[in-house]
Amino acid sequence: MSYTETIGSRTYRFADLKTLMAKASPLRSGDQLAGVAAASEEERVAAKMALAQVPLRTFLNEALIPYESDEVTRLVIDDHSPQAFAEIAHLTVGDFRNWLLSSTTDADALTRITAGLTPEMVAAVSKLMRNQDLIAAARKRPVITRFRNTVGLPGHMSVRLQPNHPTDDVKGIAASMLDGLMYGCGDAMIGINPASDNLAAITKLLLMIDDFRQRYQVPTQSCVLTHVTNTIAAIEKGAPVDLVFQSIAGTEKANAGFGISLALLQEAYEAGLSLKRGTVGNNLMYFETGQGSALSADAHHGVDQQTCEVRAYAVARKFNPFLVNTVVGFIGPEYLYDGKQITRAGLEDHFCGKLLGVPMGCDICYTNHAEADQDDMDNLLTLLGVAGINFIMGIPGADDVMLNYQSTSFHDALYVRDVLGLRRAPEFEEWLESMQITDARGALLSASTQQPLLEGARDWMGIA
């Protein structure tokens, strides 16, 4: 089905829904690279106007990627709930935007329709929204998950403590981990990107974190971000695996490039569940995504990068994840050119994920060859804090010495919690107070008060 829109004396024609969605997307370098972006701002406006008139039902009848050739499309269609969709089935995309922003639409309403939403519907409505719309609507939709603590409660924001090391040196990682804990970070998880995929090295890191966690009774969860097949092998060998990690994308072909399928993710999910390591819940999958991953794998099928990204959240939703992380500026300026595009993408990803019922966090980051700097990250951090982000990253000095990119620091988390009045996961906050790291308000205590834990941890690490 084709779509048309006239502006003045000029009529714009869009061959199909896939083309219309791409042309309606805010400007970004990845869509330009793929050759799917609007040729002018006027064409982009025309596409938005035409998209606003498309009934939501259309997305159930016109697949952007064919059902027969893509298992993500099959997942989206087969898992769609007509009952949950009924409440909004009469709306167009433009009407849906108005419904989302209405003062009468609350968290209960958004929860009721979750199973009736497809990623394409959600991506479409996001293309009609200003940044403030994305913030306002996402803020209404908390997504709460539990493993050893509770993440995503309204008024709370957690931090993934990321103590990476370029050679996987255990003492170096332990020192960065302790540093982050002393700043009150780590309630989302302690997650290490290993420099090596060697199973022995991965297991050594898992044992180190688990030994520390048990010694000091830290109510958090660990993860070593290796390929899911390595994690399955580690589980089979008895390693203390908490969260199961995998990078995912929004098309079958892109996921094949990651070496995964829905069946493999199901196997990993069941392996993680079999360990029964959660204490307050059993959400245990940790997924990472990023706009541009399908394009970089030449697996986007002509679909714009943001819509491909949102389709990845349908994959995540299938496995009841504890955390989903859009690593928003990591792939580079070929996909998100500057701070403006990174900011918009981060707000889109968070909004779309939350609408689909996914526990969204964001690695607020950029590479050093992008037209962005730390001020841009400060802005996005603040906006996502207002929007109700589940978690952000905590990296020593905001500079990852292993992955070589810029993110957010332990101090950044203190800033956003202070200015927005955000608390940590309640179980973790109680632990911080009991260890005399913070007071009852969540504020950091002095270094002298923290000294007993610091000295004990130094002994544990074997540091004089």
Side-chain angles (χ1 to χ4, degrees):
M1 178 179 175
S2 63
Y3 302 85
T4 62
E5 186 64 44
T6 300
I7 296 180
S9 60
R10 186 161 191 168
T11 298
Y12 291 89
R13 291 179 174 82
F14 308 98
D16 50 27
L17 188 56
K18 175 170 63 176
T19 302
L20 179 64
M21 293 271 282
K23 301 292 188 183
S25 294
L27 177 65
R28 62 206 57 198
S29 52
D31 289 339
Q32 291 176 312
L33 181 65
V36 302
S40 67
E41 285 302 320
E42 184 173 282
E43 184 181 26
R44 183 170 289 109
V45 170
K48 289 177 185 288
M49 293 170 65
L51 183 60
Q53 301 171 54
V54 174
L56 291 179
R57 288 186 181 276
T58 303
F59 294 94
L60 300 174
N61 302 319
E62 188 175 346
L64 305 191
I65 302 173
Y67 182 94
E68 297 76 17
S69 60
D70 186 89
E71 68 173 0
V72 177
T73 299
R74 293 194 290 275
L75 170 68
V76 168
I77 298 300
D78 294 349
D79 281 8
H80 180 259
S81 168
Q83 294 77 23
F85 183 58
E87 187 170 345
I88 57 170
H90 61 290
L91 299 178
T92 65
V93 176
D95 294 332
F96 186 38
R97 173 189 175 275
N98 295 338
W99 184 86
L100 288 170
L101 296 174
S102 169
S103 60
T104 60
T105 300
D106 57 11
D108 289 341
L110 293 174
T111 302
R112 282 197 307 271
I113 68 166
T114 297
L117 294 174
T118 70
E120 291 82 0
M121 293 176 193
V122 173
V125 75
S126 76
K127 297 175 191 300
L128 305 183
M129 302 176 89
R130 295 170 58 185
N131 286 3
Q132 65 175 252
D133 299 336
L134 298 172
I135 293 167
R139 188 176 175 83
K140 296 181 183 184
R141 180 54 168 106
V143 179
I144 300 166
T145 56
R146 296 175 173 87
F147 189 75
R148 283 199 192 91
N149 60 28
T150 306
V151 171
L153 293 166
H156 292 66
M157 187 200 73
S158 297
V159 175
R160 171 190 159 186
L161 174 50
Q162 182 172 302
N164 293 345
H165 192 280
T167 64
D168 289 339
D169 179 76
V170 173
K171 286 188 178 181
I173 288 170
S176 292
M177 179 180 72
L178 182 61
D179 187 27
L181 289 169
M182 291 300 173
Y183 280 103
C185 295
D187 50 339
M189 70 166 173
I190 300 169
I192 302 167
N193 298 86
S196 165
D197 269 341
N198 178 278
L199 187 58
I202 291 163
T203 302
K204 187 175 183 180
L205 294 176
L206 286 168
L207 288 168
M208 181 272 289
I209 301 175
D210 200 59
D211 180 61
F212 183 90
R213 181 189 62 78
Q214 292 194 60
R215 180 181 295 253
Y216 293 100
Q217 300 181 308
V218 191
T220 191
Q221 34 286 320
S222 65
C223 185
V224 175
L225 281 66
T226 187
H227 192 271
V228 69
T229 52
N230 287 335
T231 303
I232 293 171
I235 290 172
E236 291 173 346
K237 290 182 177 296
V241 173
D242 288 344
L243 304 186
V244 176
F245 164 78
Q246 183 55 49
S247 293
I248 57 173
T251 72
E252 179 178 346
K253 185 178 178 182
N255 282 326
F258 285 136
I260 61 167
S261 64
L262 296 180
L264 181 58
L265 292 178
Q266 183 67 36
E267 179 185 348
Y269 179 46
E270 291 174 1
L273 287 174
S274 72
L275 298 179
K276 299 180 180 178
R277 289 176 60 83
T279 55
V280 298
N282 61 1
N283 301 112
L284 56 80
M285 299 299 285
Y286 174 58
F287 294 118
E288 287 194 342
T289 68
Q291 288 194 26
S293 58
L295 174 58
S296 68
D298 192 25
H300 59 101
H301 302 274
V303 176
D304 68 271
Q305 69 178 36
Q306 188 240 344
T307 301
C308 283
E309 169 74 2
V310 184
R311 284 168 56 92
Y313 305 154
V315 175
R317 180 170 65 174
K318 179 68 175 176
F319 302 102
N320 304 312
F322 182 65
L323 306 169
V324 176
N325 182 25
T326 169
V327 192
V328 67
F330 183 75
I331 303 182
E334 299 87 353
Y335 306 97
L336 296 169
Y337 178 72
D338 57 16
K340 182 181 177 72
Q341 292 187 13
I342 292 170
T343 297
R344 173 71 190 191
L347 295 176
E348 286 172 348
D349 293 351
H350 177 248
F351 161 81
C352 291
K354 286 292 183 65
L355 238 60
L356 289 172
V358 171
M360 289 302 297
C362 184
D363 190 341
I364 301 162
C365 64
Y366 64 100
T367 56
N368 286 313
H369 61 311
E371 291 294 321
D373 59 27
Q374 213 65 37
D375 285 339
D376 295 307
M377 302 305 104
D378 287 350
N379 294 343
L380 180 54
L381 169 63
T382 307
L383 294 172
L384 286 171
V386 173
I389 193 82
N390 278 32
F391 73 100
I392 62 167
M393 312 302 284
I395 296 170
D399 184 2
D400 192 297
V401 295
M402 195 279 281
L403 292 173
N404 293 310
Y405 77 113
Q406 310 303 312
S407 185
T408 48
S409 71
F410 308 143
H411 301 81
D412 294 331
L414 293 177
Y415 147 75
V416 76
R417 282 178 172 145
D418 181 53
V419 298
L420 297 178
L422 300 171
R423 304 299 293 257
R424 301 169 181 88
E427 301 89 344
F428 191 78
E429 200 153 77
E430 289 176 10
W431 176 80
L432 289 173
E433 186 180 356
S434 72
M435 299 300 290
Q436 296 183 294
I437 296 173
T438 65
D439 63 20
R441 298 174 296 110
L444 290 182
L445 295 173
S446 67
S448 61
T449 305
Q450 297 178 355
Q451 200 64 28
L453 174 60
L454 188 60
E455 290 300 328
R458 283 174 174 162
D459 291 341
W460 168 78
M461 289 190 295
I463 299 173

